[in-house]
Amino acid sequence: QVTDTLTKEGPGSPSYDWFQTDSLVTLVIYTKQKDINLDSVIVDHQDDSFRAETIIKDYSYIIHIVRVIENVGKIEIVLKKKENTSWKRLGHPLENHNSLIPKKDTGLNYRKCQLISKECVTHDTKLFCLMLPPSTHLQVPIGQHVYLKLTITGTEIVKPYTPVSDFLLSELKEPVLNNKYIYFLIKIYAAGLFTPELDHLQIGDFVSVSNPEGNFKISQFQELEDLFLLAAGTGFTPMVKILNYALTNIPSLRKVKLMFFNKTEDDIIWRSQLEKLAFKDKRFQVEFVLSAPTSEWNGKQGHISPGLLSEFLKRSLDRSKVLICICGPTPFTEQGIRLLQDLNFSKDEIHSFTA
Ligand code: FAD
Ligand code: NAD
């Protein structure tokens, strides 16, 4: 049945097997791909259903059953039995079990996460920490977002948010294995639909978190020499993990520059952390641009413009490999892309973050 759902361009059919001891059941997924890592598999055990989604290029291979329960393309999921009895079968199949379907067709899968902490970052932006359920394995890849879901006056409301690290430069080279916490920098809009509700949650309350989505690929960093980040307001959020990753893992990188657009000084997220990082790592520079500064501001002013960009986007060498990431309000991003094209940057050199 798996082959029925595959297209000619799709990956080879994955398969699974399972075995058990008295106390453990091991589920093995043969992906038939070499470049599978922990980002590629999302495991949930909610109520009675067990679901493992393995992302293989643009496809999702799903193991979805009721009951229960990195290297060369084999994934082992070990389930601890509630009772030491022999299982006759792994479970009864649920929707999409043992099928490989285009990732875009899998829909969003949610799990309930608990609010652990909420910390003010600016006058209107907070750092939220959510904890994944103990039986979930989920790592959000760099540059991707998830959807948060709350039921507000009887209606389910869903909005996208980009996870960040809990502070700007973690000392850790590798992401922590099986990290149970997800952090978000979220601006609360007093007249908004979703964010005031989110802000009203008490510590210990639950929010549903979806599987990750997004088209940023870490391969865009390969052999990269200059990285330019253009962020406006909370459009800074995808840049957090990008900065962390690029400065720790890309040896070819000579220069990383962030131009951060905000209305006022009070709106700048993690300003002192950014300044400290620039002090600590000489490859990194940050420039703040304000659209509604007070008269005391003697830094750069205005909106995104040809003048600001042409001065900012200087390659470290004539032909250095560059990537420009841009994120912010839609008119900001659209205008930015037009200006970058006018400055002769190619499509491959620009990554814009959108929904
Ligand atoms: P909304 O109800 O959408 O309102 C937002 C603002 O617009 C309010 O000030 C409201 O008064 C005003 N408004 C609403 N309707 C109108 C109207 N018709 N005319 C004029 N004004 C109006 N945000 C973050 O803070 N952090 C993130 O990490 C983050 N990541 C994102 C990732 C992606 C891929 C995308 C697309 C967006 C992301 N966002 C992020 C934005 C987020 O999804 C929400 O749009 C945001 O939180 C506002 O939601 P809300 O329901 O509270 O406000
Ligand atoms: P904001 O209103 O505080 O504005 C920040 C800056 O954006 C301004 O100072 C200005 O320089 C620029 N800007 C705003 N409107 C502009 C316009 N019409 N033309 C040109 N420049 C403009 O921003 P905010 O309230 O923090 O909003 C952040 C936006 O980023 C939201 O729309 C959010 O949806 C988006 N966002 C998208 C993603 C994503 O797609 N992955 C992630 C995070 C945030």
Side-chain angles (χ1 to χ4, degrees):
Q1 306 84 323
V2 176
T3 41
D4 289 348
T5 55
L6 283 177
T7 64
K8 270 193 187 133
E9 307 83 49
S13 319
S15 60
Y16 79 97
D17 199 358
W18 66 283
F19 55 87
Q20 60 187 321
T21 64
D22 274 356
S23 59
L24 299 176
V25 170
T26 301
L27 188 65
V28 186
I29 298 166
Y30 300 97
T31 63
K32 310 217 169 96
Q33 299 293 313
K34 292 226 167 77
D35 55 347
I36 292 290
N37 56 37
L38 279 172
D39 281 0
S40 319
V41 60
I42 299 167
V43 177
D44 290 292
H45 177 207
Q46 301 187 97
D47 304 321
D48 273 343
S49 85
F50 174 85
R51 190 178 185 281
E53 179 170 345
T54 306
I55 294 139
I56 305 168
K57 301 206 166 80
D58 290 332
Y59 284 78
S60 282
Y61 177 67
I62 295 169
I63 298 293
H64 193 191
I65 45 174
V66 65
R67 179 168 96 177
V68 191
I69 26 179
E70 161 173 19
N71 40 32
V72 282
K74 182 174 121 178
I75 294 161
E76 277 192 6
I77 300 165
V78 181
L79 313 169
K80 187 144 189 1
K81 288 180 177 175
K82 264 192 193 151
E83 289 162 24
N84 291 0
T85 53
S86 174
W87 291 16
K88 289 200 175 58
R89 56 195 290 184
L90 189 57
H92 297 282
L94 293 176
E95 194 189 357
N96 292 330
H97 173 61
N98 200 15
S99 65
L100 182 70
I101 52 180
K103 192 172 177 295
K104 61 180 174 39
D105 298 340
T106 57
L108 289 170
N109 197 47
Y110 286 89
R111 70 282 304 149
K112 287 200 178 98
C113 296
Q114 204 169 19
L115 179 63
I116 294 298
S117 65
K118 188 172 73 170
E119 201 182 286
C120 290
V121 171
T122 70
H123 62 103
D124 58 3
T125 301
K126 295 184 181 176
L127 181 70
F128 290 81
C129 173
L130 301 181
M131 186 173 69
L132 291 163
S135 46
T136 290
H137 163 86
L138 186 162
Q139 288 176 180
V140 181
I142 292 165
Q144 297 202 8
H145 53 270
V146 296
Y147 291 83
L148 298 186
K149 180 166 78 178
L150 284 174
T151 302
I152 303 172
T153 55
T155 310
E156 282 189 344
I157 308 288
V158 164
K159 295 267 166 146
Y161 294 94
T162 314
V164 295
S165 36
D166 53 345
F167 53 101
L168 200 55
L169 198 67
S170 66
E171 301 291 328
L172 297 164
K173 241 183 145 53
E174 295 295 325
V176 182
L177 196 69
N178 257 336
N179 205 340
K180 288 282 164 208
Y181 300 105
I182 308 189
Y183 295 88
F184 296 94
L185 282 166
I186 298 182
K187 181 183 278 197
I188 312 298
Y189 296 88
L193 181 61
F194 189 83
T195 50
E197 286 295 322
L198 188 72
D199 195 30
H200 287 146
L201 294 181
Q202 302 294 310
I203 303 302
D205 284 351
F206 289 88
V207 190
S208 293
V209 177
S210 78
N211 283 8
E213 270 197 350
N215 51 18
F216 185 81
K217 298 249 160 35
I218 222 155
S219 57
Q220 290 171 261
F221 288 137
Q222 246 164 38
E223 309 295 320
L224 196 66
E225 296 170 270
D226 299 332
L227 174 63
F228 298 105
L229 309 173
L230 303 170
T234 57
F236 172 60
T237 53
M239 312 307 177
V240 172
K241 284 195 186 179
I242 286 182
L243 264 174
N244 246 324
Y245 182 86
L247 288 172
T248 18
N249 296 289
I250 313 298
S252 52
L253 207 61
R254 271 195 295 274
K255 189 153 92 175
V256 181
K257 286 174 82 178
L258 166 70
M259 188 170 259
F260 195 0
F261 296 81
N262 284 281
K263 289 186 293 234
T264 71
E265 273 183 272
D266 292 343
D267 295 317
I268 305 174
I269 297 170
W270 284 354
R271 178 179 179 175
S272 77
Q273 285 200 49
L274 284 164
E275 286 170 339
K276 274 188 201 136
L277 179 58
F279 183 76
K280 194 172 139 196
D281 193 324
K282 294 298 166 218
R283 293 169 302 168
F284 176 61
Q285 291 171 37
V286 57
E287 276 187 36
F288 301 109
V289 183
L290 300 183
S291 59
T294 61
S295 52
E296 282 109 71
W297 176 252
N298 47 28
K300 292 203 159 57
Q301 302 193 9
H303 279 249
I304 194 165
S305 66
L308 279 175
L309 290 190
S310 55
E311 189 197 318
F312 180 71
L313 300 167
K314 293 253 161 51
R315 293 178 197 251
S316 59
L317 290 174
D318 263 4
R319 285 158 178 264
S320 60
K321 187 174 176 215
V322 296
L323 177 68
I324 306 167
C325 296
I326 180 163
C327 187
T330 307
F332 166 87
T333 306
E334 285 176 350
Q335 198 182 339
I337 295 170
R338 278 196 301 274
L339 295 174
L340 293 172
Q341 285 168 347
D342 292 347
L343 289 168
N344 290 322
F345 287 100
S346 70
K347 280 207 169 69
D348 291 344
E349 292 173 325
I350 306 170
H351 184 91
S352 62
F353 290 89
T354 48

